[in-house]
Amino acid sequence: MTVYLITGSDSRLVSAKLTDLTSDLIGDGDRNTMFESHDLESVTSDERDSAIANAVMGAQTESLFGDQRVVVLRGLQEATVDQLKPLVKYLERPLEVTHLVITAEGKLAKSTTDALKAAGATTFNTSPPSRKNDLTTWFMEQFTEAGLKLDSAAVARSEEHTSELQSLMRISYAVFCLKK
């Protein structure tokens, strides 16, 4: 059993990481039979209870066609503490054959954070660092991971204008990731 939490302040970076992770988890498997996705950002407040219950039910159900399932629950920051109770209960005893992938762009309830930690969730924070040197290193790692190579002159030039280029670089990276 694996539980993953993808967090970040930029929805495009969260989405790019989600795409990469789910692709890795599904691998050569049949996406149609092993993948299930629930989006709390696309439902009304009244519909969130049902969406969370459906995601938990999906995570608790073994696949009829394979040896594992990938269940995604997007936008967890939208849910209230009461709405998250079924998820917190599920995280006490997650199913061994389910990969549960959760995304959040904001602060989570303490009960949810504690349950994720107790379940051994692997966390990916897609938010870039705020310090200039760390930010430059972060962008270089992201571009290298995406298969791009920048020469030293480009890196030096970007460092001169880091504050101005930060938004442009984030957008460029997100667009590149979504197109790969």
Side-chain angles (χ1 to χ4, degrees), residues 132-133 136 154-163 165:
K132 181 179 176 182
N133 290 341
T136 300
V155 173
R157 183 91 168 135
S158 69
E159 288 175 353
E160 292 172 13
H161 302 282
T162 299
S163 61
L165 295 175

Side-chain angles (χ1 to χ4, degrees), residues 30 36 46 48 56-58 68 78-79 87 122 126 131 142 147 150-151 154-155 157 160 166 179:
D30 183 0
E36 185 177 318
D46 293 337
R48 284 193 199 113
V56 169
M57 187 183 314
Q68 65 179 355
E78 298 294 328
L87 176 64
T122 301
T126 63
R131 292 185 9 207
Q142 302 306 308
L150 298 178
D151 65 17
V155 173
R157 183 91 168 135
E160 292 172 13
Q166 185 174 354
K179 288 187 177 185

Side-chain angles (χ1 to χ4, degrees), residues 6-49:
I6 303 171
T7 64
S9 56
D10 187 322
S11 62
R12 295 163 296 199
L13 297 177
V14 171
S15 181
K17 182 62 181 176
L18 176 62
T19 299
D20 289 346
L21 180 59
T22 55
S23 293
D24 289 345
L25 293 173
I26 293 169
D28 293 334
D30 183 0
R31 184 179 183 87
N32 293 324
T33 61
M34 59 187 299
F35 180 76
E36 185 177 318
S37 183
H38 305 273
D39 189 349
L40 299 182
E41 294 174 324
S42 68
V43 297
T44 66
S45 179
D46 293 337
E47 297 169 323
R48 284 193 199 113
D49 289 321

Side-chain angles (χ1 to χ4, degrees), residues 16-168:
K17 182 62 181 176
L18 176 62
T19 299
D20 289 346
L21 180 59
T22 55
S23 293
D24 289 345
L25 293 173
I26 293 169
D28 293 334
D30 183 0
R31 184 179 183 87
N32 293 324
T33 61
M34 59 187 299
F35 180 76
E36 185 177 318
S37 183
H38 305 273
D39 189 349
L40 299 182
E41 294 174 324
S42 68
V43 297
T44 66
S45 179
D46 293 337
E47 297 169 323
R48 284 193 199 113
D49 289 321
S50 177
I52 292 169
N54 288 336
V56 169
M57 187 183 314
Q60 291 174 327
T61 306
E62 291 190 35
S63 175
L64 298 174
F65 305 104
D67 57 348
Q68 65 179 355
R69 293 176 56 87
V70 177
V71 177
V72 172
L73 183 56
R74 300 174 198 246
L76 203 64
Q77 76 281 354
E78 298 294 328
T80 66
V81 172
D82 285 341
Q83 291 171 330
L84 292 170
K85 286 181 180 177
L87 176 64
V88 170
K89 184 165 178 58
Y90 168 78
L91 290 171
E92 293 172 4
R93 296 188 53 174
L95 194 62
E96 290 295 322
V97 295
T98 299
H99 298 289
L100 178 61
V101 184
I102 299 168
T103 70
E105 293 176 36
K107 187 173 180 174
L108 297 176
K110 183 175 179 350
S111 58
T112 305
T113 303
D114 291 346
L116 287 163
K117 186 175 181 179
T122 301
T123 301
F124 299 98
N125 182 354
T126 63
S127 293
S130 57
R131 292 185 9 207
K132 181 179 176 182
N133 290 341
D134 294 340
L135 183 63
T136 300
T137 301
W138 183 86
F139 278 118
M140 293 307 301
E141 289 170 355
Q142 302 306 308
F143 287 129
T144 300
E145 215 176 272
L148 297 174
K149 293 183 180 180
L150 298 178
D151 65 17
S152 57
V155 173
R157 183 91 168 135
S158 69
E159 288 175 353
E160 292 172 13
H161 302 282
T162 299
S163 61
E164 298 165 10
L165 295 175
Q166 185 174 354
S167 297
L168 179 60

